């Protein structure tokens, strides 16, 4: 493989598509691990080389850079025990298999950026949350903590490993906004529960830029909160979304209804983290969209 060879898992996802395109623009050679047909992968990611199985890299020359973003959507289905295991397998088991394959290569990557989420911290109420904040032990924490631990053997071998603890990602043509927008357009939107819970949000462009910063900054390692420096409560978020769409936000979703409908998964919506990107900012990273309203206007193509 050529110098600047990159392997991306989750490359066809909401973040991965844009990341792959930016890596190609920067001159990297990009392989994408995906079960999708090769034509579909290239249509989403650009001039990449699709790889269907991890076995294809066993014993190969290896990669300079690995970005591991694979994982099923955490909020797509109710959390049955079967669903929880599927979430763990798509993150933890795949990462373990990936690390095993990389360790078999002729050379190790210089850096690996591995996915995680601010769910690592569990429910934190209104307290400011930095990378050094102690987590609350619940499913989202255990899922993220084990996901990060699965990549740790590479760090033990001297690879520079970064963990991208990402918040709720806003961007065009997909993501959580796609699910939120319709009821708001119909005038049926509103806060969720009390609305005081924080939504640690970030624009997709800044997620991609943060990952590239971790890749290219030789001093970057460990966990980074990949979130806007200005977190918003759910009430603030929904009011801003309604204003951007020019619609009211007067129909709150009762907490009890979510608990009945979604069970344990309702905690994703009813609790949160006032997460702050302390380490990114200390490292000199600057955000393209630090403020919520401009980020939503860009994501929804609604100029001011």
């Amino acid at each position: 493989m050529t110098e600047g060879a990159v392997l991306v898992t989750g490359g066809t996802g909401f973040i991965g598509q844009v990341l792959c395109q930016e890596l190609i623009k920067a001159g990297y050679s990009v392989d994408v691990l995906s079960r999708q047909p090769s034509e579909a992968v290239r249509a989403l990611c650009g001039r990449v080389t699709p790889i269907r199985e991890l076995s294809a890299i066993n014993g190969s020359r290896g990669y300079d850079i690995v970005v591991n973003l694979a994982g099923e959507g955490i909020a797509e289905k109710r959390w049955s025990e079967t669903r929880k295991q599927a979430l763990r397998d798509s993150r933890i088991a795949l990462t373990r298999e990936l690390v095993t394959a990389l360790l078999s290569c002729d050379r190790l990557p210089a850096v690996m950026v591995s996915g995680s989420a601010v769910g690592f911290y569990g429910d934190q109420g209104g307290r400011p949350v930095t990378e050094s904040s102690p987590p609350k032990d619940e499913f989202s924490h255990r899922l993220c903590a084990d996901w990060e631990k699965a990549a740790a053997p590479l760090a033990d071998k001297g690879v520079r490993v970064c963990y991208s603890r990402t918040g709720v990602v806003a961007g065009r043509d997909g993501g959580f906004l796609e699910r939120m927008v319709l009821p708001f357009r119909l005038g049926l939107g509103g806060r969720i529960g009390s609305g005081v819970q924080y939504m640690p949000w970030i624009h997709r462009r800044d997620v991609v830029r943060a990952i590239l910063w971790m890749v290219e900054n030789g001093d970057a390692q460990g966990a980074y909160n990949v979130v806007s420096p200005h977190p918003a409560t759910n009430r603030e978020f929904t009011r801003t979304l309604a204003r951007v769409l020019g619609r009211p936000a007067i129909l709150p979703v009762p907490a009890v209804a979510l608990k009945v409908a979604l069970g344990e998964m309702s905690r994703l919506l009813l609790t949160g983290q006032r997460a702050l990107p302390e380490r990114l900012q200390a490292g000199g990273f600057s955000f393209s969209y630090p403020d919520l309203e401009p980020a939503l206007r860009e994501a929804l193509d609604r100029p001011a």
Side-chain angles (χ1 to χ4, degrees):
M1 296 174 187
T2 60
E3 188 69 16
V6 184
L7 174 65
V8 179
T9 74
T12 59
F14 187 56
I15 297 169
Q17 295 174 35
V18 178
L19 174 65
C20 287
Q21 293 161 14
E22 291 300 315
L23 286 166
I24 292 166
K25 287 180 186 177
Y28 291 104
S29 170
V30 181
D31 291 359
V32 173
L33 178 68
S34 176
R35 298 288 178 86
Q36 295 192 40
S38 296
E39 297 78 12
V41 174
R42 291 192 183 97
L44 293 169
C45 302
R47 297 186 311 276
V48 302
T49 300
I51 296 177
R52 290 189 61 85
E53 301 289 344
L54 274 172
S55 58
I57 72 171
N58 285 330
S60 69
R61 288 186 57 193
Y63 292 89
D64 300 290
I65 298 159
V66 177
V67 182
N68 177 36
L69 302 177
E72 294 189 20
I74 195 168
E76 291 181 2
K77 297 179 183 178
R78 187 184 176 104
W79 287 353
S80 64
E81 291 305 312
T82 300
R83 180 59 181 170
K84 284 183 178 181
Q85 189 59 50
L87 292 172
R88 290 182 62 83
D89 289 345
S90 69
R91 289 163 171 76
I92 302 157
L94 185 142
T95 300
R96 286 174 179 159
E97 293 170 7
L98 172 62
V99 167
T100 298
L102 292 171
L103 289 173
S104 78
C105 294
D106 292 346
R107 62 187 172 98
L108 294 175
V111 58
M112 176 176 179
V113 179
S114 199
S116 188
V118 291
F120 175 92
Y121 304 103
D123 178 19
Q124 294 286 330
R127 295 182 295 277
V129 176
T130 69
E131 291 85 354
S132 61
S133 297
K136 180 178 179 180
D137 186 21
E138 54 185 284
F139 175 69
S140 64
H141 164 67
R142 294 188 295 273
L143 179 66
C144 293
D146 290 346
W147 194 7
E148 293 181 11
K149 288 176 184 175
L154 286 178
D156 295 340
K157 295 292 186 180
V159 176
R160 185 167 60 82
V161 177
C162 300
Y163 304 102
S164 176
R165 293 179 180 168
T166 308
V168 179
V169 182
R172 297 192 181 194
D173 304 320
F176 81 104
L177 275 181
E178 192 170 61
R179 296 191 291 271
M180 284 189 72
V181 163
L182 181 58
F184 276 83
R185 289 192 191 279
L186 296 174
L188 302 176
R191 60 176 167 80
I192 296 174
S194 66
V196 301
Q197 69 275 25
Y198 274 86
M199 292 179 63
W201 67 275
I202 185 168
H203 192 281
R204 178 170 57 176
R205 185 174 299 172
D206 282 327
V207 178
V208 171
R209 291 182 59 247
I211 292 172
L212 292 173
W213 180 88
M214 292 180 216
V215 165
E216 296 173 352
N217 181 351
D219 294 325
Q221 61 180 337
Y224 290 87
N225 289 344
V226 181
V227 293
S228 161
H230 300 143
T233 64
N234 177 264
R235 184 190 298 271
E236 292 165 344
F237 192 99
T238 51
R239 283 179 174 174
T240 304
L241 176 59
R243 184 166 61 249
V244 168
L245 292 172
R247 306 296 294 163
I250 57 177
L251 293 176
V253 180
V256 65
L258 280 175
K259 291 176 182 177
V260 170
L262 301 178
E264 184 182 2
M265 196 181 83
S266 66
R267 292 186 59 78
L268 287 178
L269 302 174
L270 297 173
T271 66
Q273 305 84 21
R274 189 181 175 185
L276 300 170
E278 183 175 77
R279 295 196 66 222
L280 276 177
Q281 290 187 303
F285 181 81
S286 61
F287 289 80
S288 297
Y289 292 95
D291 298 310
L292 180 59
E293 185 163 335
L296 291 181
R297 288 194 179 278
E298 195 287 330
L300 297 170
D301 196 20
R302 305 280 292 199

